Amino acid sequence: MSHAPDHGRDHWPRRLVAVTPVLPILIVSALVLFDLIGGSGMTWVPLLATCPALAATTCGPRCVVLVGLLAVALSVVLGVRGGAPGTELAIALAALTVVTLACGLTSVLRGRRERVLAAVRSVAEAAQHALLQPIPATVGPFRVAVRYSAAAAEARIGGDLYALVSTPYGVRLIVGDVRGKGLPAVGTAALVLGVFREAAHDEPDLLAVVARIERSLARNLGSDDFVTAVVAGYPGEGQLEVVNCGHAPPLLVRDSVVVPVDPDRPAPPLGLRTLSGETPTLQVLPFADGDQLLLYTDGVTEARNHAREFYPLAEGLARHTSDEPTRTVTALHDELLAHVGGRLHDDAALLLLHKPKAAGAPVPRSPSTTARMDCCSPQIG
């Protein structure tokens, strides 16, 4: 109960600053000071019209009208004090009145647009939570951290996708990137995630999950559309299964050493299998206590700085690796933004999977990989 009054006292000064037309008041004060010093009469009066115009950029219509009335009153004082002709003073007051009314209307329209934008943002946030469902910090034996940034800041969502679910067949996850941008890319991402979440619970074989997604995309995508993705699963045997469909290789961290998990045989992106005739492979990685796996989209590795240099993700991960996935991912994201100068030009997603080290755990094996060919027929799933 005692925190509510404190909360109000902490924030009312900031609210007062937000609605106070500081710049117009400073301009008015400067003009009055110049007139008092120089006695210039009507010389500075036209500049008072800037006061309601500036107030309209940040304040509501009531505040704009008050600033306009203040400017009109000061115009009368300055004109009378300087002995200005009545006609000249009347013209100046009429101009100030018209400018004030126009700025008040502008403020009303700006307020309406801001309310519409706020409503659109709330819808975008709801869509983001429905599409990219929040991932808990702990899933099964793993600690997880996710960071996602859409290139269109107002949209909040884009063509990158991720999901992590706990199933009867262990923890399964996907990170992918839809070709293209805008609403079509968002629709494709929603399709992929919906099929993945359903198939991950139904299919005991990870390659069958990928096959389900492939068939769904083949029915719904155009000939030029596709999705790159990495689908991974942890069946609970100290091993991690990885299927890479034309996506950037995940980064395996073991004993502070970063190793890219390159596919043994390149596979086409999802949606293009019928054109290439190639099928993905299933890689099996030893994944012991203390190991980490970073999955990401090309918006991270293809981010360029002013010198047109790509962001070195593997080096950044080696610098920032810690036992706290959230700290690692946050540090990577902050460094990425600093690399590009504060604004990303493509959607970017980071998902870090960490298996905490247990007391007395054996020394993990080297990060070698083995592969199993796709044994699934097209009819599976």
Side-chain angles (χ1 to χ4, degrees):
M1 295 294 291
S2 61
H3 292 291
D6 293 339
H7 180 81
R9 284 194 296 268
D10 290 340
H11 289 82
W12 76 262
R14 279 181 287 180
R15 289 198 299 266
L16 181 61
V17 170
V19 300
T20 301
V22 178
L23 187 56
I25 290 178
L26 290 177
I27 293 176
V28 168
S29 302
L31 294 178
V32 172
L33 180 61
F34 291 155
D35 182 77
L36 292 177
I37 294 175
S40 52
M42 293 290 294
T43 303
W44 301 103
V45 169
L47 291 179
L48 289 172
T50 62
C51 298
L54 291 173
T57 62
T58 57
C59 303
R62 183 179 302 176
C63 181
V64 173
V65 171
L66 291 176
V67 171
L69 292 177
L70 176 61
V72 169
L74 286 175
S75 298
V76 173
V77 172
L78 294 178
V80 172
R81 183 175 180 273
T87 303
E88 183 180 350
L89 181 58
I91 293 174
L93 295 179
L96 273 175
T97 302
V98 172
V99 170
T100 299
L101 294 177
C103 292
L105 178 60
T106 301
S107 179
V108 171
L109 297 177
R110 178 183 57 80
R112 290 180 179 176
R113 287 195 296 269
E114 288 180 350
R115 287 191 291 271
V116 171
L117 180 58
V120 171
R121 284 177 173 173
S122 65
V123 172
E125 285 191 5
Q128 183 186 41
H129 284 293
L131 179 61
L132 303 177
Q133 297 176 1
I135 294 178
T138 302
V139 180
F142 300 109
R143 300 178 67 184
V144 188
V146 177
R147 197 65 182 262
Y148 176 81
S149 296
E154 303 299 340
R156 306 290 178 93
I157 53 179
D160 287 3
L161 58 96
Y162 63 83
L164 188 148
V165 294
S166 181
T167 74
Y169 311 106
V171 175
R172 288 176 168 177
L173 60 99
I174 183 174
V175 171
D177 188 357
V178 179
R179 177 186 178 275
K181 292 180 173 61
L183 289 178
V186 174
T188 302
L191 174 64
V192 172
L193 291 175
V195 176
F196 168 77
R197 292 185 180 114
E198 185 73 17
H201 285 275
D202 293 343
E203 303 290 350
D205 193 319
L206 194 64
L207 284 169
V209 175
V210 176
R212 284 265 292 266
I213 301 174
E214 177 69 37
R215 288 196 299 275
S216 179
L217 290 178
R219 289 192 299 267
N220 293 279
L221 290 188
S223 58
D224 296 331
D225 297 327
F226 58 85
V227 179
T228 67
V230 172
V231 183
Y234 185 80
E237 302 173 355
Q239 292 181 329
L240 193 69
E241 299 175 341
V242 178
V243 180
N244 192 326
C245 300
H247 199 73
L251 298 177
L252 178 66
V253 182
R254 176 170 297 158
D255 295 332
S256 300
V257 178
V258 179
V259 180
V261 183
D262 295 308
D264 293 329
R265 189 183 70 185
L270 296 169
L272 298 181
R273 185 185 300 186
T274 56
L275 299 179
S276 65
E278 298 181 3
T279 55
T281 60
L282 182 72
Q283 292 178 274
V284 181
L285 314 176
F287 204 72
D289 294 347
D291 289 350
Q292 303 185 50
L293 188 74
L294 179 68
L295 297 96
Y296 53 93
T297 59
D298 59 9
V300 178
T301 52
E302 295 181 2
R304 296 173 181 260
N305 60 11
H306 296 299
R308 308 300 294 169
E309 298 171 336
F310 292 113
Y311 173 65
L313 178 59
E315 298 176 12
L317 180 58
R319 283 192 298 271
H320 299 295
T321 295
S322 68
D323 291 333
E324 295 290 337
T326 301
R327 182 193 309 167
T328 302
V329 170
T330 300
L332 285 174
H333 184 265
D334 293 344
E335 188 173 82
L336 174 65
L337 290 180
H339 180 80
V340 299
R343 181 177 177 81
L344 293 171
H345 299 285
D346 193 7
D347 302 331
L350 294 163
L351 190 152
L352 182 61
L353 199 68
H354 177 220
K355 194 168 187 294
K357 186 175 296 185
V363 178
R365 291 178 288 172
S366 61
S368 59
T369 63
T370 59
R372 176 166 62 86
M373 302 301 292
D374 184 359
C375 61
C376 304
S377 64
Q379 287 78 30
I380 290 181

